Amino acid sequence: MITFGEWLPDQPDMNNAIVTANNVIPAANGYRSLPSFTQLSTSASNTLLGIYSAKADDATITLFAGDANRLYEFNTGTSGLDDVSSGTYSLEGKERWKFVQYGNDVIVAGGIGEELQYWDLATSTQFATLSTDAPKADYIAVVRDFIFTGNIDEGSGRKPYRVKWSGFDSATDWTAGTNQSDFQDIPDAGAIQGIVGGEFATIFMEKAIVRATYTGLPLVFQFDKVEPNRGCKIAGSICNIGQLSFYYSDSGFYMWDGQQSRPIGQEKVDDFFNTDCDFSYVNKITSAVDPIRQIAVWSYVSTSNTGLTPDKLLIYNYYLDRWSSADVDSDLIAPFFTASYSLEDLDNVSTNLDTIPASLDSSFWLGGEFYLGGALADQMYVFSGAVLDGTIETGELPLAAGKHNLVTRVYPYYDGGSVTMEVGTRDALSESVTFTSPVSPNTDNYANFRAQGRYHRLRMNITGEWDLAQGIDVEAREIGRR
C-alpha cells in the first residue's frame, strides 16, 4: 500500500507524495475527516469580531461574543445572542475583541477607542467599565497575577510599542508605581502584534519577540528581546496553546516554544500561502489552536475568492509537523467550550434533526466540551456538523521511470463513507495533467481503469461520514516495448 504522505505544495509535483490534501486533517497514516462549519447562534447586529468561553467557579460555562458595536452573551434557551453591552462601542479597522479570564471575571479589550470591559461570572447581567485608570488597548493577557495590555492609548495618544500592567492581584489598580503597576516602552521593534500570557509574557512585535519575566520590585518585570531579528508580520496569525505559539513572520510560518522559534512552513507551505493568500485583506486573517486534534488553523481570503469573506483554511498538525487545507467560509476562527443544554433548550435550537449543530449523542450538548468554532458574518459557528467531502491527490508516481504505463486497477484504503478514484496522466512534465472520469470501486474494492501515460497521479474523492483516508495500491503494466 502507498500510504498518503505529507502535503508539500511548495515542492514539484514529480515524486511529491501529496499535491492536494483538501478538507482533511493530517494523521499519522493518511488524513482524517474535518467536520463542517455549522451555525450555532442566531444573528448579532454585525459581523462578529470576537468569541470567548469562560468557566465560572461553579463550572458553569458562559459564551460571549462581540461585534463592532455590541457585546453579547449566548443564550442556550433561544440560541440567541443577548445584548449585554454597557453602551455602544465603535471598533474600527483591524480592531477585534480580546477576552481573558481573571479569577471569576472576564475582562475584554476592544482596541484603543474602548475602555476595558469586565463581567463577573457570578453576578453580572451586563458588561461594565473595568476602571477609568485602565488603558485602552488592542491586546490583553493574564501574566501571573497581573493583567497585561499592549498597543495602548492612555489619553495622550496611541503607544503601539508600549505595554502596561495592572497592580499585583488587582485588575482595577492601574496607577503606575503603585502596587507594582507600571508600563514599559519597547523601542526599535515596531508595533506590538499580540501578547501571550502565562508564567511570563511573550510579546510579539513587528520586528522582534520580547519576553517579560516577573522579578519583583524594583523592576517588577524584566524585558528581553529573545528573538531580536524576527517578529510577527500578521497580528491575526498569532494563536497559542499555553506557551506554544504559532505566528507568521516576514519569512513564513513559525512555532515559538517559549524559548525559541523554529520554521514550520519553510519548503512546505510558505510559498503556497504567499501565492494563495490575498494580502489586500490581511486584517481578515484569524487563527486558533484546537488542542484536541492538535492542530493550529488559519483562516484567510484566497486570491481565487470573488468576495471578501475568508474562504480558505490552512491547517497545521503540530504533533506530526504536517499540513492540509480546507475550503470553509469563516469571518472568525476561535476556540471555545460549549455551554450545557437541557432537553427544552434543544427544542429551541431546531425542530429539524438534520440542521442541529451536532448529533444528539454528541458530547457537544453536555457543556464544557472543547470545540473549534468561530463565526460567519453575524452568527456563531462550530466545527461539529456533517463531515466535509475530502480530496487527496498524489504527485506523479514512479511506476516505471521514463516509460509509458497503463494503469488498470486502483485499490483505495479508507474507513467509512464512499470513494471515487481518478487517474491523471501526461507524457511530459511540461504538459497539463488530464484526469479520467471518477470511478467507484467494485465489490472487490478496486476501480477499473485504462489510463495510459508516462506520468501518473491518483486522486481520491471521499464523501459521506468518513473517518480516515489511508492510501492506495496501483496495478499497472508497461506498454510500447519492442
Side-chain angles (χ1 to χ4, degrees):
M1 180 181 67
I2 302 172
T3 302
F4 288 139
E6 186 175 2
W7 179 53
L8 297 172
D10 288 1
Q11 297 303 309
D13 290 353
M14 186 64 185
N15 288 329
N16 194 345
I18 298 295
V19 297
T20 300
N22 200 44
N23 291 346
V24 297
I25 297 173
N29 290 291
Y31 293 86
R32 294 200 178 275
S33 57
L34 175 66
S36 58
F37 207 39
T38 303
Q39 181 184 340
L40 178 65
S41 76
T42 57
S43 296
S45 298
N46 293 291
T47 299
L48 293 179
L49 301 175
I51 293 175
Y52 186 75
S53 63
K55 181 180 287 188
D57 292 341
D58 62 2
T60 302
I61 302 296
T62 306
L63 285 176
F64 299 100
D67 61 23
N69 307 120
R70 294 284 186 268
L71 286 168
Y72 303 92
E73 179 186 9
F74 177 66
N75 187 328
T76 57
T78 64
S79 293
L81 293 172
D82 297 339
D83 186 349
V84 290
S85 308
S86 64
T88 299
Y89 313 111
S90 183
L91 274 65
E92 299 177 351
K94 66 178 182 179
E95 292 180 334
R96 293 182 177 271
W97 292 107
K98 301 293 184 180
F99 298 77
V100 296
Q101 184 170 348
Y102 187 73
N104 217 40
D105 290 340
V106 173
I107 303 174
V108 195
I112 63 169
E114 308 301 332
E115 304 280 0
L116 294 186
Q117 302 289 293
Y118 86 97
W119 174 287
D120 186 321
L121 291 168
T123 62
S124 290
T125 57
Q126 71 175 36
F127 279 94
T129 298
L130 176 67
S131 169
T132 55
D133 292 331
K136 301 172 182 179
D138 282 336
Y139 307 110
I140 188 168
V142 176
V143 183
R144 292 175 63 100
D145 298 295
F146 302 86
I147 304 296
F148 250 69
T149 58
N151 204 327
I152 67 174
D153 183 357
E154 297 182 275
S156 58
R158 188 184 186 104
K159 302 293 190 298
Y161 46 81
R162 176 174 292 181
V163 294
K164 185 172 184 177
W165 57 91
S166 69
F168 177 79
D169 198 26
S170 174
T172 58
D173 189 353
W174 292 87
T175 302
T178 302
N179 193 21
Q180 301 188 51
S181 176
D182 212 335
F183 68 90
Q184 177 70 44
D185 291 340
I186 306 173
D188 304 324
I192 295 169
Q193 300 281 66
I195 305 174
V196 173
E199 189 66 17
F200 54 85
T202 302
I203 304 165
F204 290 90
M205 307 189 72
E206 290 178 306
K207 300 177 182 179
I209 298 176
V210 175
R211 181 168 58 219
T213 307
Y214 180 72
T215 61
L217 292 171
L219 292 178
V220 187
F221 282 91
Q222 176 178 317
F223 290 80
D224 299 290
K225 285 185 180 179
V226 288
E227 287 274 358
N229 301 313
R230 180 183 300 109
C232 176
K233 181 178 181 179
I234 303 172
S237 71
I238 302 170
C239 56
N240 72 291
I241 174 69
Q243 287 295 339
L244 189 65
S245 303
F246 306 89
Y247 66 98
Y248 185 80
S249 76
D250 286 323
S251 55
F253 286 97
Y254 281 78
M255 180 172 68
W256 166 261
D257 64 6
Q259 301 296 324
Q260 62 182 356
S261 296
R262 74 169 180 87
I264 58 175
Q266 191 174 45
E267 293 294 320
K268 293 186 176 186
V269 301
D270 285 347
D271 291 344
F272 168 82
F273 180 73
N274 286 333
T275 301
D276 198 51
C277 176
D278 189 337
F279 283 87
S280 301
Y281 306 106
V282 68
N283 290 338
K284 290 180 174 289
I285 292 175
T286 59
S287 57
V289 173
D290 181 344
I292 306 301
R293 298 183 178 93
Q294 297 180 307
I295 56 175
V297 181
W298 291 266
S299 170
Y300 63 94
V301 178
S302 73
T303 52
S304 60
N305 191 4
T306 57
L308 301 181
T309 300
D311 60 318
K312 198 78 173 181
L313 301 182
L314 199 56
I315 302 168
Y316 175 65
N317 186 310
Y318 52 86
Y319 178 76
L320 299 172
D321 193 27
R322 288 173 54 172
W323 295 82
S324 63
S325 65
D327 297 323
V328 174
D329 289 344
S330 57
D331 284 289
L332 174 68
I333 297 294
F336 54 78
F337 292 92
T338 58
S340 58
Y341 289 78
S342 66
L343 290 177
E344 292 76 16
D345 292 337
L346 291 179
D347 290 336
N348 294 316
V349 172
S350 178
T351 57
N352 185 346
L353 294 179
D354 293 330
T355 61
I356 62 174
S359 63
L360 290 177
D361 59 356
S362 172
S363 59
F364 178 92
W365 308 108
L366 297 177
E369 294 294 320
F370 179 91
Y371 273 84
L372 185 65
L376 179 58
D378 54 9
Q379 298 171 339
M380 293 172 60
Y381 272 62
V382 65
F383 285 95
S384 64
V387 169
L388 293 175
D389 296 344
T391 302
I392 303 169
E393 182 182 320
T394 70
E396 259 80 22
L397 300 175
L399 299 178
K403 299 179 180 178
H404 276 80
N405 289 270
L406 181 70
V407 172
T408 57
R409 291 181 179 181
V410 177
Y411 296 79
Y413 298 97
Y414 62 99
D415 183 12
S418 302
V419 157
T420 60
M421 297 299 306
E422 302 173 51
V423 180
T425 60
R426 56 180 171 174
D427 289 331
L429 296 178
S430 58
E431 296 177 353
S432 298
V433 179
T434 301
F435 280 91
T436 66
S437 298
V439 177
S440 299
N442 57 25
T443 56
D444 293 321
N445 194 42
Y446 65 81
N448 277 308
F449 291 96
R450 290 187 62 82
Q452 176 181 333
R454 180 172 280 115
Y455 304 102
H456 295 79
R457 64 176 69 190
L458 283 301
R459 178 187 291 164
M460 176 186 285
N461 308 299
I462 185 164
T463 62
E465 292 301 308
W466 65 278
D467 178 53
L468 177 67
Q470 190 172 10
I472 44 122
D473 268 331
V474 180
E475 286 189 9
R477 58 184 176 86
E478 186 180 328
I479 60 175
R481 296 183 63 182
R482 291 173 178 254

